[in-house]
Amino acid sequence: MVKSASSHISGFNTTYILFPTEPNESIILFGQAPTVNPLLSDYGSTVNFHAQTGDYLGHYDIREQSFITILVDTFRKLHFGNFAGLFSKVVYATIGLSPLLLGGTGIYLWYFRRRKRIHQRNSVKITS
């Protein structure tokens, strides 16, 4: 099935095989088709085969879809940061951890301002 999938979608490279979980479902080969868009996901195109006989049932080629469908597919790589290798993953992790840093610095500022106010109140009471 993997070998015959490329005859239905030219240049198809299988990246994931979904076996049926219900009796009447088909075997679905997810993969990518060669394109100039580097942001298309590895699961954008599919080829379906009958689970019992292995007969070809149909395919879904992302290159033949509308602009909106292709745009939505590009968000898969953008969402997970898989578009520029390790560098993009490090950048995404840093941006993802920035709320933790902001929360920590906020607590730090609040605590020392609170401590300063308490110290000022105590010093006013002592001098009075």
Side-chain angles (χ1 to χ4, degrees), residues 57-84:
L57 296 176
H59 70 276
Y60 178 87
D61 190 351
I62 192 67
R63 299 173 296 183
E64 299 171 353
Q65 304 307 314
S66 67
F67 172 75
I68 297 297
T69 305
I70 293 172
L71 182 66
V72 169
D73 187 64
T74 60
F75 284 123
R76 286 188 181 133
K77 280 193 176 183
L78 291 173
H79 178 77
F80 294 106
N82 293 335
F83 58 91

Side-chain angles (χ1 to χ4, degrees), residues 87-104:
F87 176 74
S88 65
K89 290 182 181 184
V90 169
V91 169
Y92 272 47
T94 304
I95 291 171
L97 291 174
S98 64
L100 181 65
L101 178 67
L102 290 171

Side-chain angles (χ1 to χ4, degrees), residues 117-128:
R117 285 187 201 137
I118 291 172
H119 181 64
Q120 286 176 348
R121 286 183 195 155
N122 289 339
S123 65
V124 170
K125 289 180 184 177
I126 293 172
T127 58
S128 307

Side-chain angles (χ1 to χ4, degrees), residues 28-76:
I28 304 172
L29 277 62
F30 289 87
Q32 56 187 352
T35 180
V36 295
N37 186 351
L39 295 177
L40 285 180
S41 73
D42 296 339
Y43 312 103
S45 300
T46 62
V47 181
N48 299 343
F49 294 96
H50 193 273
Q52 280 74 33
T53 63
D55 292 337
Y56 168 76
L57 296 176
H59 70 276
Y60 178 87
D61 190 351
I62 192 67
R63 299 173 296 183
E64 299 171 353
Q65 304 307 314
S66 67
F67 172 75
I68 297 297
T69 305
I70 293 172
L71 182 66
V72 169
D73 187 64
T74 60
F75 284 123
R76 286 188 181 133

